[in-house]
Amino acid sequence: MPAEKKITPMIKQYLEVKEQCQDKILFFRLGDFYEMFFDDALTASRELDLTLTGRAGGDKEKVPMCGVPFHSADTYIERLVHKGYKVAICEQMEDPKLAKGLVDRKIIKVVTPGTITLENAVASKKNNYIACLMGKEDEIAIALMDVTTGECLWSLCVAGSIEDTLFDMLSVYDPSELIYSQLGSYAEVILDYVHTRLSQCAVTLYDGKEDIDYRAVTTAHFSEYVDSLTFTTIQCLGLLLSYVATVMQTDISHINVLERVDNERRLIVDAASLRHLEIIQNVRDGGRKGTLLHVLDRTHTAMGGRLLRKWLEFPLVRIADIVRRQDAVEELLQHEIIRQDMGDTLDRIYDFERILTRIETGTASPKDMVALRESLAVIPDLKNILDGTASPLLRQLNERIQRHEETYQLLSEAIKEDPGTVIRNGGVIREGYSPELDEIRAISANSRAFMQGLEEQEKEKTGIKLKIGYTKVFGYYFEISHANTKPIPAYYVRKQTLVNAERYITPELKEFEVKVLTSQERTLALEYKIFSEVRQKIQEHIPSMQETARAIARVDCLYSFSCAAHENHYTRPQFTKEDTFIIRDGRHPIIEKYIKDEMFVPNDVTLNHKDHEVLVITGPNMAGKSTYMRQVAVLTLMAQTGSFIPAREAVLCPVDRIFTRIGASDDILTGQSTFMVEMKEVSYILKHATPRSLLILDEIGRGTSTFDGMSIARAVIEYCLKHVHALTLFATHYHLSVK
C-alpha cells in the first residue's frame, strides 16, 4: 500500500476503517456505490466476476478498485458469504450535501455465514447454525444458534467423548460458521476435524472482551435456564451471544429459546447412520430426492419444513411423547375435511418466524411487512379449524397460537396493500395513517390546485387583486400591481419592487413554498420514519409471535405426517414397554416411492431378547439384504418421530440408538482405507450400543482376506450376543462362520 503521506484523504479514511476489519471484505460506501479497494477489490472482482478498475490514491499508480450499486448490494454480499467470506458494511453517517469536507463513515454491521439474515440467503427449510466451542481439560461446551429463527441449542461433551459426541453433533447440525475459545489440548484435533469434514464452515478464534460479564449476557436472553447451566456452558453461550451482537451491531433479543440436546429424550442417530439410511440427504449427490425427508415432507410452511427435518434427525424415545403425536396424526388422517382445510390455510402462511428476526434486526422490507400481515390474517382461520380437534397435542398447540389482532390492525392501517419494494423509494405507508404524510403528498400531487385556492383565499381576505408567481431567485410570491394597491396587510412582507408592481411574501406562502420544494424529500424521509416506528411497535410483540410461529410449525409437521400416511397407505405402529419388535408386511418407504412398474414385496421381521436378538441375513449379491435391514431401521426411526409407517401392522419397543455399518468407502482425506473406516465404525458401535439399541451391520470384514473377514464377522456377532445384547440385524456372505 502507498505511504501515508502520498495518499488522498478518502483513501486514508478507507485504510483507517479497514484496520478495524482486516479479515473481512470491506464494502465502503461512496455515493450510490459500495466500493472495494486494494486486496479486497482483487478478491471481490475474482469471486463476483466484477470489472476491476483503478482510482487515484495519491501516488502515481492507481489503487485497485471495484464496486457494486448500493441498492443491489445484498445479492453480492450473499454470494460472498456463501463462499465463506465475511463482509463489513461501512456506511456514510451524514448527508454528503451537508457535510463539510470528508463525509463521516463507520462500520454499521458485519455479515458472516452464521449471522446472515438476508431474505433468500439461507435455505427456507433448513436451519443455518453458528456454533461456539469453549472448554477446559475435562469438558467442552457447545452452543448452536440459528440467528434467523432465534433458537439456541447447547450440550456438554466430557473428556473422552470428544470424537464421538462433539464431532457427531457438528456433523449433524452442519454449522456454516464456528467460533471457539480456550479449547486447551483439544484445540488441534477439533480444528483438524472441522477443517477436514466441514470445509464450508468459517472458523474464527474469538476470545471476546475482558470487561464482558458473560453470565449477565446469558441471563439477559435465557434467564429462566441459567441456574441449571454449568459455568462452562454459561460462558460459551455468553461468548456466542456477545459475538453475534458485536457482528450484527443490532438488538438480538429475539434469540430467546434455549434447548439442551438431551440424549435422554431423543433417539440418537449418528451422522453416519443418517447418511447410510438416507434420512435427510441421499448418498448420490447429497440432495433431498430419494430421502425419507422427501417422502414425508408435505409441509406448507418453511417453519414446518425446518422442524420436520429436526424431528427426523432427533426422534423421540418416550412412549408418551410418541403417542401424543400419533393421536394428533390419526385424528387428522381420519377427518379429511379438517385435513384439507388445514392444508389450504397453512399454504397462506409465510415464513414469519424469520421475518420477525429481520424486523428485530432492522432489515425488514415492506414485502416482509405484507407477508407478516397476510400470515396474521390467516391465524383466526387456523384456530377455528383447530377448535374442531380433540387430540390433546392439537388442542395444546391451539392454545399456544395467539391471534395478534393488535399487530395485524397496525399493519393493516399503516402499510399499503401493494407497497413499493424498497422503503427508501417510498410508496409504502397507507393513505389515512399519517395526516402529516397525507398533507405532504397532497401538496406534492395538487400543488397547482393548492396555489389557486390560496390565491382566491387571499383575494377574498384582503380585497386586493393579486396573483401568485414563482422565480428561482425569490421563490413563490404574491404580485400586486400599483393600480390595485390598497392598504397592504401587516403580515405581507415586501420582497421585490418592479416598475408596475410589488411582490410580497406571507408566512403561509413561505410555508407552502418549503413544503412544495421539499415535498418529495420530506415524503421519503417521513415514510421511512413512520415505517421505523411501525417496526418498533411490532418489536414489542415479537416473543409472543415467535411462540405462535413455533406452534404453527408443529401443526404443519403433524399435518405433513397425516398427508403422507393418507397418500402412501401407512398404518399406526403400536408401542410397548416389552422388549418386542414385530413388523408385519413392512415396506421400504423410499424405495416403494421410486420403483417404476413394479411392486415392492412386503416382508416381516421379529426381534426380541429371548430368541431373536441377533438375526443373520445371508444370500448372494443383489438379493436385497441391505434393503431389508435398512427398511427395519428406517421404519423404526419413522415410528419414533410419531409418523405412521408402511406396514400392515407393527408392535415396537422404542430404541435409544440406531447404529448402521453399511457400504464400503474409504476416507482419503484422513488416510484411512476402506477396511480401517469399517473397523472404526464397528468399534464405535460396539462401544456405545446398549440392550435398547438397534444395530444394522452389513458385510463386516469385507475389506480383508476371506478367513480374516470370517473371523471378524464371527467375533462381532459373538460379542453382540454375549456382551451388547442389542437388537441386531447382521448381513454377511460368510454364513459358514455362524454355523
Side-chain angles (χ1 to χ4, degrees), residues 90-340:
C90 180
E91 269 294 351
Q92 297 174 163
M93 303 310 295
E94 56 183 335
D95 189 340
K97 298 177 183 177
L98 305 176
K100 295 181 180 179
L102 206 59
V103 176
D104 183 34
R105 294 179 175 88
K106 77 171 186 177
I107 296 174
I108 60 167
K109 67 177 176 179
V110 175
V111 185
T112 70
T115 62
I116 189 168
T117 59
L118 300 175
E119 186 180 7
N120 302 321
V122 291
S124 62
K125 288 193 172 185
K126 182 181 178 182
N127 287 97
N128 182 44
Y129 289 109
I130 175 172
C132 178
L133 299 178
M134 176 183 277
K136 47 189 179 182
E137 292 305 317
D138 59 340
E139 65 179 15
I140 289 183
I142 177 172
L144 292 142
M145 180 190 298
D146 186 341
V147 173
T148 67
T149 63
E151 304 164 83
C152 196
L153 309 172
W154 71 274
S155 184
L156 268 182
C157 302
V158 297
S161 67
I162 300 300
E163 292 192 31
D164 296 337
T165 308
L166 179 62
F167 291 177
D168 200 62
M169 284 186 64
L170 290 173
S171 181
V172 171
Y173 286 104
D174 191 23
S176 60
E177 183 176 358
L178 182 144
I179 65 171
Y180 69 95
S181 175
Q182 302 173 22
L183 293 182
S185 60
Y186 297 109
E188 184 176 353
V189 65
I190 290 175
L191 294 179
D192 183 61
Y193 174 85
V194 172
H195 290 308
T196 304
R197 303 289 186 176
L198 306 176
S199 58
Q200 299 300 313
C201 181
V203 181
T204 304
L205 170 62
Y206 183 73
D207 289 326
K209 299 177 181 178
E210 295 181 358
D211 59 341
I212 293 181
D213 182 351
Y214 290 122
R215 182 180 182 87
V217 173
T218 302
T219 303
H221 289 263
F222 311 122
S223 57
E224 59 185 294
Y225 307 99
V226 169
D227 291 340
S228 62
L229 302 176
T230 66
F231 174 80
T232 307
T233 304
I234 292 173
Q235 294 296 103
C236 183
L237 288 167
L239 185 73
L240 180 56
L241 288 164
S242 174
Y243 173 82
V244 170
T246 300
V247 164
M248 299 185 70
Q249 303 257 319
T250 187
D251 186 7
I252 57 169
S253 57
H254 70 286
I255 300 171
N256 52 28
V257 171
L258 183 64
E259 181 181 350
R260 182 180 184 182
V261 181
D262 187 357
N263 293 341
E264 298 298 319
R265 300 198 61 167
R266 70 183 183 107
L267 165 61
I268 303 172
V269 189
D270 58 76
S273 297
L274 286 172
R275 182 174 63 253
H276 291 153
L277 298 175
E278 299 186 290
I279 302 302
I280 304 300
Q281 297 177 321
N282 65 49
V283 295
R284 296 179 303 282
D285 59 10
R288 275 171 51 103
K289 189 173 183 181
T291 65
L292 181 61
L293 177 62
H294 190 250
V295 170
L296 294 179
D297 190 0
R298 298 295 180 272
T299 57
H300 283 287
T301 69
M303 303 174 291
R306 289 192 294 272
L307 182 62
L308 179 62
R309 183 187 180 101
K310 283 189 280 193
W311 279 11
L312 292 176
E313 290 174 335
F314 304 107
L316 305 169
V317 292
R318 297 186 181 182
I319 293 178
D321 296 336
I322 298 170
V323 170
R324 275 166 56 83
R325 286 187 188 173
Q326 286 182 325
D327 289 343
V329 173
E330 184 169 31
E331 181 174 13
L332 295 177
L333 179 61
Q334 292 176 349
H335 295 85
E336 186 171 355
I337 294 178
I338 290 179
R339 189 174 69 251
Q340 290 179 349

Side-chain angles (χ1 to χ4, degrees), residues 412-432:
S412 299
E413 293 175 354
I415 307 299
K416 282 186 174 182
E417 200 67 32
D418 187 19
T421 56
V422 181
I423 180 59
R424 294 288 186 184
N425 295 339
V428 173
I429 305 303
R430 190 188 292 271
E431 288 77 8

Side-chain angles (χ1 to χ4, degrees), residues 25-43:
I25 294 179
L26 178 61
F27 274 42
F28 192 75
R29 179 72 178 272
L30 289 177
D32 291 337
F33 283 79
Y34 285 116
E35 302 288 3
M36 287 146 279
F37 300 98
F38 300 107
D39 291 343
D40 285 356
L42 298 175
T43 301

Side-chain angles (χ1 to χ4, degrees), residues 1 7 10-29 35-44 63 80 85-91 105-107 110:
M1 294 183 184
I7 60 177
M10 192 280 293
I11 293 296
K12 180 181 178 183
Q13 185 187 48
Y14 169 85
L15 294 175
E16 290 173 350
V17 175
K18 180 63 180 174
E19 280 293 322
Q20 305 169 32
C21 54
Q22 289 295 320
D23 61 334
K24 304 169 184 70
I25 294 179
L26 178 61
F27 274 42
F28 192 75
R29 179 72 178 272
E35 302 288 3
M36 287 146 279
F37 300 98
F38 300 107
D39 291 343
D40 285 356
L42 298 175
T43 301
V63 171
L80 285 172
Y85 294 100
K86 300 175 183 178
V87 177
I89 311 297
C90 180
E91 269 294 351
R105 294 179 175 88
K106 77 171 186 177
I107 296 174
V110 175

Side-chain angles (χ1 to χ4, degrees), residues 289 588-601:
K289 189 173 183 181
H588 196 296
I590 304 171
I591 294 177
E592 75 167 353
K593 291 287 287 185
Y594 291 98
I595 56 175
K596 297 179 180 179
D597 303 322
E598 295 182 58
M599 184 185 74
F600 187 92
V601 179

